[in-house]
Each structure stands twice: as structure tokens, then as C-alpha cells.
Amino acid sequence: MGLRQEVTRARWTLLVQFSLFGVLGTSWMSRLPSIRSELGLSAGQLGSLLVVGGVGTLLAVLVTGAVVARFGSRRTLVAATAGNAVGFGVLAVATATASVPLFALGACVNGMCGALTNIPINISAAGVERAVGRAILPHFHAAFSVGAALGALVGAAFAWSGAHVAVQLVVVTAVVTLVRALLVVPSTMLAPAHGRATSDGATSRRGSGVRAALAAWREPRTLLVGLVLLAASLSEGSAGTWLSLAVVDGFAAREAVGAVAYGTFVASMTAVRLAGTGLIDRWGRVTVLRVSGFAGLAGLLLFGLAPTLSLAWVGVVLWGCGAALANPIAISAASDEPVHAAPRVAVATSFSTVSMLAAPPLLGLLADQVGVRSALLVICGAVVLSLAVAGQVRPPRDAPVTSRDPLTST
């Protein structure tokens, strides 16, 4: 198989992998009301239980860089796929038997497997981007957004049919696991075969993956790219958690209106991710990141301070547009040098994981005091910080660059 065919195959199979990752993450979350009922928990108790999954993700993020560096993206993704099958199987048993401890175990396993999936597929996508020779990582993140929306629809369909949540977990997990397993090899063919190859082609000694993972924590640029990813995760994740409620509470709107507002946010973000590759190629990462930051900042301020729902809706659109490209840009920046991509992506991703763990409860406490809309204005501080360090996403001078696109050049 020639380079062109390999790149094309890797590109399309990775798009499906990102979509399936989104489906797997949101299809069961859309059934949280049923899960809460089956487990006999209050909303607060369920929220605390879900934090266990975030803790699992954080624990895995801290070691995934070393795991990928030692065993490679392909083996790590195989392990994550198998682990998710086990984790969701445990969740199915937990909801069928109303076992809270089992549910906590399943959530923790899935949280760990989320990190073991996220980092290898992003490293593989960065490899495809380098082979193509132009910015295409936003397309993969758009595929994730589409998959997340599809997952919500799948959950809604199972709920409408009256199926028990355990049935949904088994069916969706079985289908997704089968497809993911079939796509592991083609989707990782442009990632390093294993993580032990050094930049000069020699084989590294045992333990070098751990040292490389620890070394990434001492790199100023990697840490600053992590701050960009933290702001991106905070902006996107807070919208998913609080936007609908902010519309309902802030404007005395119906729940359906809040849901449509969040749908507008996702649609805006997905549209910009699809169009973002051309923008990055033309203007560069730094300029696009800065413009995105200003758009997100304007959208957040408008949403938080607007006196009317229609004006706040404009803010939602700007917010979604501004949140779209920071995540893929940060991942691309962390992956500039293939030999060090795994530990650097792991370090940068850990910042978004901390954001995912800390933001919901902290924003919730603040919302109790000032209201949800006003609480969301705190995100502006993170966006300003991201703007301040935006120059760090510029590719290093010695980073490998491909000037021609094997999919379009002749």
C-alpha cells in the first residue's frame, strides 16, 4: 500500500474512531436520570459518584504518556478498547442490580480508559496531519462532536423505547467495541509502531518511556500549551454542564429552550472545526488561537451580561465559535515533535482533566451565590490566560514540516 492510500485509510478510520469515542461518552450520560433512579441516588450523590470517573481519568493521564512511549499507540488503544468493554459491562451490571460500589468501579475503569483512548488517537491524528502537510486536526475533533451528538440521540432513542439502561449499555458497548477493534490497526498505521524508537532510530532502554514522561513536566512550552488546553476544556466543558441551566434560570425559559441553546453552541463549534483547517493553514495557529480567544471572550461576556435572551443567544454562537479550535491547536502543538508527542500530549491533557474535575463543583458553589450565568463569567479569566500564552503554540523551528499534501498533490 502506497503512502497516499495509507494516509487516506488512516485519516478516515481515525475520523470514525473519534466519532465512536464521542458516542461512547455521551450515549450513557444522556440516561443519567434513569441511572439516578435505578441506583436510588439524589442528584448531588450522583454528581459525587461521577467524579470517580474523573479521578480515574486523572490517574491514567499521569501514566499514559509513559505507557504510549513504552508500548506504542496501537497496543494502548487495544487495551483501552478492551477496558471500556469491561467498564461498561460493570456499569450495566451495576444499574441492573442497583449496586453503587459496582457503578463506582465501572466509572473509574471507564475514566482510565478514556485517557488511554484520547491520547493515542490524538497522537495518531497528529501523525496524519503531518503526513497530509496541512492542519486537519480540527476535523477529527469535529467528528468527536458529531459522535457526541449522535450518542445523545442514541440514548434518547433507547429512553423513548422504554429499554432499561443496562440493555442500552450492553448493546451500544458491543457494537462500538466491535467497530473500534476492527479499526485499531488502520487508524494507528501512521503512529510510531512502538514508543521505544528514539530520534536517531536507536532502541531506547527499558524505563526511558517513564523518564521521557517525567521530563515533559519540566518543559515550559509543554506546560504553557497545557494552560491553553485547560482554558479550552473549561470553556467547552462548562457549556456542556451549565449552559442549558443558565438559560433556564437566567431567562425563566423552558427546559427545551435551554437544550436548543446548547445545541446551538455545539453546532457553532462543529461548523468552525470543519472550516478551521483552512483558517489555520492561511493564518497560522497563533493568530487563529488569538482570534478564537477574543471571540470566546466576547461570547461569554455577552451571554453573561445580556439583558435579553436573543442577545444572549448571539453570545452563545460567539462562545461556540471561540471554543472550537483551541483544543485541536493545543494538541497539534504538543505533538509537533513525533518522538516526544506521547508524553507531551499526556501532560497537556492532564490540564484539561484537572479542569474537568475542579470546574463543575467550583462553578456550582459559585452559582449558588451569584447565579449560573454570572458564575460562567469566571471562565473569562482562563480565556485571558490562554490569550497571554497563545504564542507558545507556534511550531518549533526544527519541527518536521511536510509541504505537500499526498492526498492532493500529483
Side-chain angles (χ1 to χ4, degrees):
M1 182 183 294
L3 174 61
R4 176 170 177 160
Q5 289 76 20
E6 285 188 357
V7 173
T8 301
R9 191 179 182 193
R11 186 174 181 175
W12 285 104
T13 52
L14 264 174
L15 285 169
V16 178
Q17 287 277 24
F18 271 82
S19 297
L20 292 175
F21 191 34
V23 169
L24 204 59
T26 61
S27 59
W28 75 280
M29 292 290 286
S30 65
R31 299 297 303 275
L32 285 182
S34 296
I35 291 173
R36 180 179 62 181
S37 176
E38 294 295 334
L39 297 179
L41 301 174
S42 67
Q45 289 171 327
L46 179 60
S48 299
L49 193 58
L50 293 176
V51 170
V52 175
V55 172
T57 301
L58 180 59
L59 292 175
V61 160
L62 296 175
V63 300
T64 300
V67 171
V68 175
R70 177 68 178 85
F71 298 104
S73 294
R74 182 171 299 171
R75 292 179 181 176
T76 305
L77 193 55
V78 168
T81 301
N84 270 143
V86 173
F88 280 106
V90 172
L91 289 185
V93 174
T95 54
T97 61
S99 173
V100 173
L102 269 183
F103 188 90
L105 174 62
C108 185
V109 170
N110 284 328
M112 296 176 68
C113 291
L116 291 171
T117 299
N118 185 38
I119 293 173
I121 63 175
N122 271 290
I123 292 171
S124 299
V128 173
E129 184 176 71
R130 284 190 296 272
V132 169
R134 55 190 176 89
I136 62 168
L137 204 58
H139 285 173
F140 297 106
H141 288 258
F144 173 83
S145 298
V146 172
L150 178 60
L153 291 176
V154 168
F158 273 96
W160 179 81
S161 70
H164 193 281
V165 65
V167 174
Q168 175 187 323
L169 287 168
V170 170
V171 172
V172 173
T173 302
V175 173
V176 169
T177 299
L178 175 61
V179 179
R180 287 177 70 185
L182 292 174
L183 298 181
V184 164
V185 172
S187 64
T188 57
M189 63 173 53
L190 294 184
H194 55 78
R196 291 171 287 178
T198 61
S199 56
D200 61 359
T203 300
S204 65
R205 291 171 298 180
R206 185 178 302 274
S208 63
V210 176
R211 289 193 295 271
L214 293 175
W217 284 98
R218 298 192 295 270
E219 297 173 353
R221 178 178 181 263
T222 301
L223 297 177
L224 293 174
V225 168
L227 291 179
V228 173
L229 200 53
L230 182 148
S233 175
L234 182 61
S235 183
E236 182 179 347
S238 297
T241 305
W242 298 108
L243 179 55
S244 297
L245 185 59
V247 169
V248 172
D249 289 356
F251 298 98
R254 298 172 58 186
E255 186 177 8
V257 176
V260 173
Y262 178 61
T264 301
F265 176 89
V266 173
S268 301
M269 189 170 58
T270 303
V272 172
R273 281 178 170 172
L274 291 172
T277 58
L279 297 175
I280 295 171
D281 285 335
R282 181 170 182 179
W283 301 107
R285 292 177 189 166
V286 177
T287 299
V288 172
L289 181 59
R290 286 173 175 161
V291 172
S292 296
F294 282 117
L297 190 61
L300 279 162
L301 290 170
L302 190 56
F303 177 76
L305 302 174
T308 64
L309 178 58
S310 58
L311 198 56
W313 213 282
V314 177
V316 170
V317 174
L318 285 172
W319 182 6
C321 292
L325 296 177
N327 194 310
I329 286 175
I331 294 295
S332 289
S335 305
D336 276 326
E337 298 174 85
V339 173
H340 305 292
R344 289 174 179 170
V345 171
V347 169
T349 305
S350 68
F351 282 77
S352 63
T353 303
V354 170
S355 169
M356 179 185 68
L357 284 173
L362 292 179
L363 284 174
L365 291 173
L366 185 60
D368 286 339
Q369 303 300 319
V370 301
V372 180
R373 269 213 306 159
S374 297
L376 289 172
L377 291 174
V378 173
I379 303 171
C380 293
V383 176
V384 170
L385 180 62
S386 177
L387 284 168
V389 300
Q392 299 298 321
V393 302
R394 185 179 289 108
R397 292 182 180 179
D398 56 348
V401 177
T402 303
S403 60
R404 296 178 61 187
D405 182 349
L407 301 186
T408 59
S409 58
T410 57

